[in-house]
Coordinates of all heavy atoms in Angstrom, one line a residue:
M495 N 69.4 97.2 82.2 CA 68.7 98.5 82.2 C 68.5 98.9 83.7 O 68.0 98.1 84.5 CB 67.4 98.3 81.5 CG 66.5 99.5 81.5 SD 65.1 99.3 80.4 CE 64.6 100.9 80.3
A496 N 68.8 100.1 84.0 CA 68.7 100.6 85.4 C 67.3 100.8 85.8 O 66.5 101.3 85.0 CB 69.6 101.8 85.6
R497 N 66.9 100.5 87.0 CA 65.6 100.8 87.5 C 65.5 102.2 88.1 O 66.5 102.7 88.7 CB 65.2 99.8 88.6 CG 65.0 98.4 88.1 CD 64.6 97.5 89.2 NE 63.5 98.0 89.9 CZ 62.9 97.5 91.0 NH1 63.5 96.4 91.5 NH2 61.9 97.9 91.5
K498 N 64.5 102.9 87.8 CA 64.3 104.2 88.4 C 63.5 104.1 89.7 O 62.6 103.4 89.8 CB 63.5 105.1 87.4 CG 64.3 105.6 86.3 CD 63.4 106.6 85.5 CE 64.2 107.3 84.4 NZ 63.5 108.3 83.7
A499 N 63.9 104.9 90.7 CA 63.2 105.0 91.9 C 61.9 105.7 91.7 O 61.9 106.7 91.1 CB 64.1 105.7 93.0
K500 N 60.8 105.2 92.3 CA 59.5 105.9 92.1 C 59.3 106.9 93.2 O 58.7 107.9 93.0 CB 58.4 104.8 92.2 CG 58.5 103.9 90.9 CD 57.3 103.0 90.9 CE 57.5 102.1 89.7 NZ 56.4 101.2 89.5
E501 N 59.9 106.6 94.4 CA 59.9 107.6 95.5 C 61.2 107.5 96.3 O 61.8 106.4 96.3 CB 58.7 107.2 96.5 CG 57.4 107.4 95.8 CD 56.2 107.0 96.8 OE1 56.4 106.1 97.6 OE2 55.2 107.7 96.7
I502 N 61.6 108.6 96.9 CA 62.8 108.7 97.7 C 62.4 109.1 99.1 O 61.7 110.2 99.2 CB 63.8 109.6 97.0 CG1 64.3 109.1 95.7 CG2 65.0 109.8 98.0 CD1 65.1 110.1 94.9
Y503 N 62.8 108.4 100.1 CA 62.6 108.7 101.5 C 64.0 108.8 102.1 O 64.7 107.9 102.1 CB 61.8 107.7 102.2 CG 60.3 107.7 101.8 CD1 59.9 106.9 100.7 CD2 59.4 108.4 102.5 CE1 58.6 106.9 100.3 CE2 58.0 108.4 102.1 CZ 57.6 107.6 101.0 OH 56.3 107.6 100.7
V504 N 64.2 110.0 102.8 CA 65.5 110.1 103.5 C 65.1 110.2 105.0 O 64.2 111.0 105.3 CB 66.2 111.4 103.1 CG1 67.4 111.7 103.9 CG2 66.6 111.3 101.6
N505 N 65.7 109.5 105.9 CA 65.4 109.5 107.3 C 66.4 110.3 108.0 O 67.6 110.1 107.9 CB 65.4 108.0 107.9 CG 64.3 107.2 107.2 OD1 63.2 107.7 107.0 ND2 64.6 105.9 107.0
L506 N 65.9 111.2 108.9 CA 66.8 112.1 109.7 C 66.3 112.1 111.1 O 65.1 112.2 111.4 CB 66.7 113.6 109.2 CG 67.2 113.8 107.8 CD1 67.0 115.3 107.4 CD2 68.7 113.5 107.7
P507 N 67.3 111.9 112.1 CA 66.9 111.9 113.5 C 66.7 113.4 113.9 O 67.5 114.3 113.5 CB 68.0 111.2 114.2 CG 69.2 111.5 113.3 CD 68.7 111.6 111.9
V508 N 65.8 113.6 114.8 CA 65.6 115.0 115.4 C 65.4 114.8 116.9 O 64.9 113.8 117.4 CB 64.4 115.7 114.8 CG1 64.6 116.0 113.3 CG2 63.1 115.0 115.0
K509 N 65.8 115.8 117.6 CA 65.7 115.8 119.1 C 64.3 116.2 119.5 O 63.7 115.7 120.4 CB 66.7 116.8 119.7 CG 68.1 116.3 119.6 CD 69.1 117.1 120.5 CE 70.5 116.7 120.3 NZ 70.7 115.3 120.8
D510 N 63.7 117.2 118.8 CA 62.4 117.7 119.2 C 61.6 117.8 117.9 O 61.8 118.7 117.1 CB 62.5 119.1 119.8 CG 61.2 119.7 120.3 OD1 60.2 119.6 119.6 OD2 61.2 120.2 121.5
L511 N 60.6 116.8 117.8 CA 59.9 116.7 116.6 C 59.0 117.9 116.3 O 59.0 118.5 115.1 CB 59.0 115.5 116.6 CG 58.2 115.2 115.4 CD1 59.1 115.0 114.1 CD2 57.3 114.0 115.6
Q512 N 58.3 118.5 117.3 CA 57.4 119.6 117.0 C 58.2 120.9 116.6 O 57.8 121.6 115.7 CB 56.6 119.9 118.2 CG 55.5 120.9 117.9 CD 54.6 120.5 116.8 OE1 54.0 119.4 116.8 NE2 54.5 121.3 115.8
K513 N 59.4 121.1 117.3 CA 60.2 122.2 116.9 C 60.7 122.1 115.4 O 60.8 123.0 114.7 CB 61.4 122.4 117.8 CG 61.0 123.0 119.1 CD 62.3 123.3 120.0 CE 61.9 123.9 121.3 NZ 63.1 124.1 122.1
S514 N 61.1 120.8 115.0 CA 61.5 120.6 113.7 C 60.4 120.8 112.7 O 60.6 121.4 111.6 CB 62.0 119.1 113.6 OG 63.1 118.9 114.4
I515 N 59.2 120.3 113.0 CA 58.0 120.6 112.1 C 57.8 122.1 112.0 O 57.6 122.6 110.9 CB 56.8 119.9 112.7 CG1 56.9 118.3 112.5 CG2 55.5 120.3 111.9 CD1 55.9 117.5 113.3
D516 N 57.8 122.8 113.1 CA 57.6 124.2 113.1 C 58.6 124.9 112.2 O 58.3 125.8 111.4 CB 57.6 124.8 114.5 CG 56.4 124.3 115.3 OD1 55.4 123.8 114.7 OD2 56.5 124.5 116.6
F517 N 59.9 124.5 112.4 CA 61.0 125.1 111.6 C 60.8 124.9 110.1 O 60.9 125.9 109.3 CB 62.3 124.6 112.1 CG 63.5 125.0 111.3 CD1 64.1 126.3 111.5 CD2 64.1 124.2 110.3 CE1 65.2 126.7 110.7 CE2 65.1 124.6 109.5 CZ 65.7 125.9 109.8
F518 N 60.6 123.7 109.7 CA 60.5 123.4 108.3 C 59.2 124.0 107.7 O 59.1 124.4 106.5 CB 60.6 121.9 108.0 CG 62.1 121.5 108.1 CD1 62.5 120.7 109.2 CD2 63.0 121.9 107.2 CE1 63.8 120.3 109.3 CE2 64.3 121.5 107.3 CZ 64.7 120.7 108.3
T519 N 58.1 124.0 108.5 CA 56.9 124.7 108.0 C 57.1 126.2 107.8 O 56.6 126.7 106.8 CB 55.7 124.5 109.1 OG1 55.5 123.1 109.2 CG2 54.5 125.2 108.6
A520 N 57.9 126.8 108.6 CA 58.2 128.2 108.4 C 59.0 128.5 107.2 O 58.9 129.5 106.6 CB 58.9 128.8 109.7
L521 N 59.8 127.5 106.8 CA 60.5 127.6 105.5 C 59.7 127.3 104.3 O 60.1 127.4 103.2 CB 61.7 126.6 105.5 CG 62.8 126.9 106.5 CD1 63.9 125.8 106.5 CD2 63.4 128.3 106.3
G522 N 58.4 126.8 104.5 CA 57.5 126.6 103.4 C 57.3 125.2 103.0 O 56.6 124.9 102.0
F523 N 57.8 124.2 103.8 CA 57.6 122.8 103.5 C 56.3 122.3 104.0 O 55.8 122.8 105.1 CB 58.7 121.9 104.1 CG 60.0 122.1 103.3 CD1 61.0 123.0 103.8 CD2 60.3 121.4 102.2 CE1 62.2 123.1 103.2 CE2 61.5 121.6 101.5 CZ 62.5 122.5 102.0
G524 N 55.7 121.4 103.4 CA 54.4 120.8 103.8 C 54.7 119.4 104.4 O 55.8 118.8 104.2
F525 N 53.7 118.8 105.0 CA 53.8 117.5 105.6 C 52.6 116.6 105.3 O 51.5 117.1 105.1 CB 53.9 117.6 107.2 CG 55.2 118.2 107.6 CD1 55.4 119.6 107.7 CD2 56.2 117.4 108.0 CE1 56.6 120.1 108.1 CE2 57.5 117.9 108.4 CZ 57.6 119.3 108.4
N526 N 52.9 115.3 105.1 CA 51.8 114.4 104.9 C 51.3 113.9 106.2 O 51.9 113.2 106.9 CB 52.4 113.2 104.1 CG 51.4 112.1 103.8 OD1 50.4 112.0 104.5 ND2 51.7 111.3 102.7
D527 N 50.1 114.3 106.5 CA 49.5 114.0 107.8 C 49.2 112.5 108.0 O 49.2 112.0 109.1 CB 48.1 114.8 108.0 CG 48.3 116.3 108.1 OD1 49.4 116.7 108.5 OD2 47.4 117.0 107.8
E528 N 49.0 111.8 106.9 CA 48.8 110.3 107.0 C 50.0 109.6 107.5 O 49.9 108.5 107.9 CB 48.3 109.8 105.7 CG 46.9 110.3 105.3 CD 46.4 109.7 104.0 OE1 47.1 108.9 103.4 OE2 45.4 110.2 103.5
M529 N 51.2 110.2 107.3 CA 52.5 109.5 107.6 C 53.2 110.3 108.8 O 54.4 110.2 108.9 CB 53.4 109.4 106.4 CG 52.8 108.5 105.3 SD 53.8 108.4 103.8 CE 55.2 107.5 104.5
T530 N 52.4 111.0 109.6 CA 52.9 111.8 110.7 C 52.3 111.4 112.0 O 51.0 111.2 112.0 CB 52.8 113.3 110.4 OG1 53.5 113.6 109.2 CG2 53.3 114.1 111.5
D531 N 53.1 111.1 113.0 CA 52.5 110.8 114.3 C 53.5 111.3 115.4 O 54.4 112.2 115.0 CB 52.2 109.3 114.5 CG 53.4 108.4 114.3 OD1 54.6 108.9 114.4 OD2 53.2 107.2 114.1
E532 N 53.4 110.9 116.6 CA 54.3 111.4 117.6 C 55.8 110.9 117.5 O 56.7 111.4 118.1 CB 53.8 111.0 119.0 CG 53.8 109.5 119.4 CD 52.7 108.7 118.7 OE1 51.7 109.3 118.2 OE2 52.8 107.5 118.8
K533 N 56.0 109.9 116.7 CA 57.3 109.3 116.5 C 58.1 109.9 115.3 O 59.3 109.9 115.2 CB 57.3 107.8 116.3 CG 56.8 107.1 117.5 CD 56.8 105.6 117.3 CE 56.3 104.9 118.5 NZ 56.2 103.4 118.2
G534 N 57.3 110.4 114.3 CA 57.9 111.0 113.1 C 57.0 111.8 112.2 O 55.8 111.7 112.4
A535 N 57.6 112.5 111.3 CA 56.8 113.4 110.4 C 57.3 113.2 109.0 O 58.5 113.2 108.8 CB 56.8 114.8 110.9
C536 N 56.4 113.2 108.1 CA 56.8 113.0 106.7 C 56.8 114.4 106.0 O 55.7 114.9 105.7 CB 55.9 112.0 106.0 SG 56.3 111.8 104.2
M537 N 57.9 115.0 105.7 CA 58.0 116.3 105.1 C 58.1 116.1 103.6 O 58.9 115.2 103.1 CB 59.3 117.0 105.6 CG 59.4 118.4 105.0 SD 60.8 119.3 105.8 CE 62.2 118.4 105.2
I538 N 57.3 116.8 102.9 CA 57.3 116.8 101.4 C 58.3 117.7 100.9 O 58.2 118.9 101.1 CB 55.9 117.1 100.9 CG1 54.8 116.1 101.5 CG2 55.8 117.0 99.4 CD1 53.4 116.6 101.4
V539 N 59.3 117.2 100.1 CA 60.3 118.0 99.6 C 60.0 118.3 98.1 O 60.3 119.4 97.6 CB 61.7 117.3 99.7 CG1 62.8 118.1 99.1 CG2 62.0 117.1 101.2
G540 N 59.5 117.4 97.4 CA 59.2 117.5 96.0 C 58.3 116.4 95.5 O 57.9 115.6 96.3
D541 N 58.1 116.3 94.2 CA 57.3 115.2 93.7 C 58.0 113.9 94.0 O 59.1 113.7 93.5 CB 57.1 115.4 92.2 CG 56.1 116.5 91.9 OD1 55.4 117.0 92.7 OD2 56.2 117.0 90.7
H542 N 57.4 113.1 94.8 CA 58.0 111.8 95.1 C 59.3 111.8 95.9 O 60.0 110.8 95.9 CB 58.1 110.9 93.9 CG 56.9 110.9 93.0 ND1 55.8 110.3 93.3 CD2 56.7 111.5 91.8 CE1 54.9 110.5 92.4 NE2 55.4 111.2 91.4
I543 N 59.6 112.9 96.6 CA 60.7 113.0 97.4 C 60.3 113.5 98.8 O 59.6 114.5 98.9 CB 61.8 114.0 96.9 CG1 62.2 113.6 95.5 CG2 63.0 114.1 97.8 CD1 63.1 114.6 94.7
Y544 N 60.7 112.7 99.8 CA 60.2 113.0 101.2 C 61.4 112.9 102.2 O 62.3 112.1 102.0 CB 59.1 112.0 101.6 CG 58.0 111.9 100.6 CD1 58.1 110.9 99.6 CD2 56.9 112.7 100.6 CE1 57.0 110.8 98.7 CE2 55.9 112.7 99.7 CZ 56.0 111.7 98.7 OH 55.0 111.6 97.8
V545 N 61.3 113.6 103.3 CA 62.2 113.5 104.4 C 61.4 113.1 105.6 O 60.4 113.7 106.0 CB 63.0 114.8 104.6 CG1 63.8 114.7 105.9 CG2 63.8 115.1 103.5
M546 N 61.8 111.9 106.2 CA 61.1 111.5 107.4 C 61.9 112.0 108.6 O 63.1 111.7 108.8 CB 61.1 110.0 107.5 CG 60.3 109.3 106.4 SD 58.6 109.7 106.4 CE 58.0 109.1 108.0
L547 N 61.3 112.9 109.4 CA 61.9 113.5 110.6 C 61.5 112.6 111.7 O 60.3 112.5 112.1 CB 61.4 114.9 110.8 CG 61.6 115.9 109.7 CD1 61.0 117.2 110.0 CD2 63.1 116.1 109.4
L548 N 62.4 111.8 112.3 CA 62.1 110.8 113.2 C 62.8 111.1 114.6 O 63.9 111.5 114.7 CB 62.7 109.4 112.8 CG 62.2 109.0 111.4 CD1 62.9 107.7 111.0 CD2 60.7 108.7 111.4
V549 N 62.0 111.0 115.7 CA 62.6 111.2 117.0 C 63.7 110.3 117.2 O 63.7 109.1 116.7 CB 61.5 111.1 118.1 CG1 60.5 112.2 118.0 CG2 60.8 109.8 118.1
E550 N 64.7 110.7 117.9 CA 66.0 109.9 118.0 C 65.7 108.5 118.5 O 66.4 107.6 118.0 CB 67.0 110.7 118.9 CG 67.6 111.9 118.2 CD 68.6 112.6 119.1 OE1 68.5 112.5 120.3 OE2 69.4 113.2 118.5
D551 N 64.9 108.3 119.5 CA 64.6 107.0 120.0 C 64.0 106.0 119.0 O 64.3 104.8 119.0 CB 63.7 107.0 121.3 CG 64.4 107.7 122.5 OD1 65.6 107.8 122.5 OD2 63.6 108.1 123.4
F552 N 63.2 106.6 118.1 CA 62.6 105.8 117.1 C 63.5 105.6 115.9 O 63.5 104.5 115.2 CB 61.3 106.5 116.6 CG 60.5 105.7 115.6 CD1 59.9 104.5 116.0 CD2 60.3 106.1 114.3 CE1 59.1 103.8 115.1 CE2 59.5 105.4 113.4 CZ 58.9 104.2 113.8
F553 N 64.4 106.5 115.6 CA 65.3 106.5 114.5 C 66.2 105.2 114.7 O 66.5 104.5 113.8 CB 66.2 107.7 114.4 CG 67.2 107.7 113.3 CD1 66.8 108.0 112.0 CD2 68.5 107.5 113.5 CE1 67.7 108.0 111.0 CE2 69.4 107.5 112.5 CZ 69.0 107.7 111.2

């Protein structure tokens, strides 16, 4: 029997974290503040689906 994923996280490198946050916020995406700092931001895509925008050095 196959296991179902409970959450999906996709990691993407970004050059400028704040510009990326601003861009995706303008498109209507929200962010999880508890999982966001100067190295990365957790963008909420859907129920249990997230994209981690990570600065290149941290990625």
Side-chain angles (χ1 to χ4, degrees):
M495 180 172 193
R497 290 180 57 186
K498 285 188 173 182
K500 294 183 181 184
E501 294 180 326
I502 297 172
Y503 289 86
V504 177
N505 296 323
L506 296 177
V508 297
K509 290 190 182 297
D510 187 315
L511 183 59
Q512 190 57 54
K513 282 185 181 180
S514 298
I515 291 170
D516 294 344
F517 174 79
F518 285 110
T519 298
L521 292 178
F523 290 97
F525 289 84
N526 179 336
D527 292 335
E528 293 179 7
M529 296 180 66
T530 298
D531 61 18
E532 68 281 348
K533 294 180 183 177
C536 180
M537 182 172 68
I538 303 165
V539 176
D541 290 340
H542 311 291
I543 302 172
Y544 309 94
V545 173
M546 297 299 297
L547 304 173
L548 305 172
V549 294
E550 288 181 334
D551 291 342
F552 186 67
F553 180 79

